[in-house]
Amino acid sequence: MQILSDKVIFLTGGSMGIGFECAKAYANEGAKVVIVASSWGQVEEAVERLGSEHLGIVCDVSNASDVEGAIHQTIEKYGRINAIHNNAGIATPSKPLHQTSDEEWQLLMDVNLKSLLFTTRFGFEELKKSGGCILNTSSLVGEIGQENHAAYTATKGAMNALTKSMALDYAPYKIRVNAVLPAGVWTPMLRKWQEEQPDPASVEKYLDEIHPLGYCPEGDVIADACVFLLSDKARFITGTILPVSGGAELGYRSLR
Ligand SMILES: NC(=O)c1ccc[n+]([C@@H]2O[C@H](COP(=O)([O-])OP(=O)(O)OC[C@H]3O[C@@H](n4cnc5c(N)ncnc54)[C@H](O)[C@@H]3O)[C@@H](O)[C@H]2O)c1
């Protein structure tokens, strides 16, 4: 049995990385996936790989009218939205706060956080009708912090707080709101972050070691958790901030 059968999932940042792994997993479970991302070439390629019953929309999630248009396009094609997965994000710059420029701060806030305001504002009525759900791709660093990445961690900490408040506000409408927290996942974003580090060559070993389960995964591990949270199998779960992190948050470890 496919556990997302006939659900229409509005997935931001679905063209690559964790988002594309989610798109494939959702499609395999019977969902119609709306891939919402910023670059047309990548959106087109992702939909081609997924199949023509899915939809690709070019949209800057930090732009209100873009998001409003994308929600309308989704309703025009499918007549409903069962889930919004807020996954689009950026991670640059890797810097402490005092070195972060106004522009860098604002862009991170707009893409990673304000985008939730827009998808919720324009998608809420549809989720109310479907008794649907919202899923946020946050990050473990929003809970535990991260050296040299202050503004990014602020967006993810805020996303975690928002997930809980939204879960409370929308529970009366039977809309569930949850978040997944990856630690490291190999994607184009992580490769970019690797290049910003003082010693990029040492990063792969470091990333294997921060995960007690022993390796830095690909996006499929996140996608499997997301499938569960968007399915009716998670029907009594809301406001959960779920680490999918190989145990990276589990405290002091011995030297290896
Ligand atoms: N890769 C990791 O190690 C990791 C760890 C923790 C959390 N995350 C989070 O997971 C999510 C996905 O990250 P990823 O590693 O797959 O990144 P990625 O860079 O590989 O993919 C990002 C996706 O977001 C889209 N996007 C970026 N800016 C956008 C905008 N303004 N409007 C619309 N779409 C936009 C891109 O088009 C792309 O589809 C992000 O929210 C990220 O913060 C990633």
Side-chain angles (χ1 to χ4, degrees), residues 12-19 36-39 42 59-62 86-91 111-112 137-140 152 156 159 181-190:
T12 72
S15 65
M16 62 186 192
I18 291 172
V36 178
S38 45
S39 144
Q42 286 167 3
C59 160
D60 176 356
V61 293
S62 66
N86 295 298
N87 169 79
I90 54 173
V111 175
N112 291 7
T137 307
S138 185
S139 171
L140 186 61
Y152 174 78
K156 296 302 185 178
M159 193 184 236
L181 310 186
V185 177
W186 282 119
T187 65
M189 174 190 281
L190 195 63

Side-chain angles (χ1 to χ4, degrees), residues 14-84:
S15 65
M16 62 186 192
I18 291 172
F20 188 61
E21 288 301 321
C22 289
K24 287 190 293 183
Y26 297 160
N28 281 340
E29 290 296 341
K32 303 281 185 282
V33 187
V34 182
I35 293 191
V36 178
S38 45
S39 144
W40 171 240
Q42 286 167 3
V43 168
E44 196 180 26
E45 192 188 326
V47 174
E48 241 171 60
R49 289 176 63 189
L50 224 55
S52 56
E53 68 273 35
H54 306 282
L55 176 65
I57 303 176
V58 179
C59 160
D60 176 356
V61 293
S62 66
N63 179 303
S65 60
D66 270 22
V67 175
E68 185 175 21
I71 296 277
H72 282 160
Q73 251 182 280
T74 303
I75 299 303
E76 261 171 36
K77 180 160 170 92
Y78 297 111
R80 66 184 184 286
I81 296 178
N82 300 97
I84 293 176

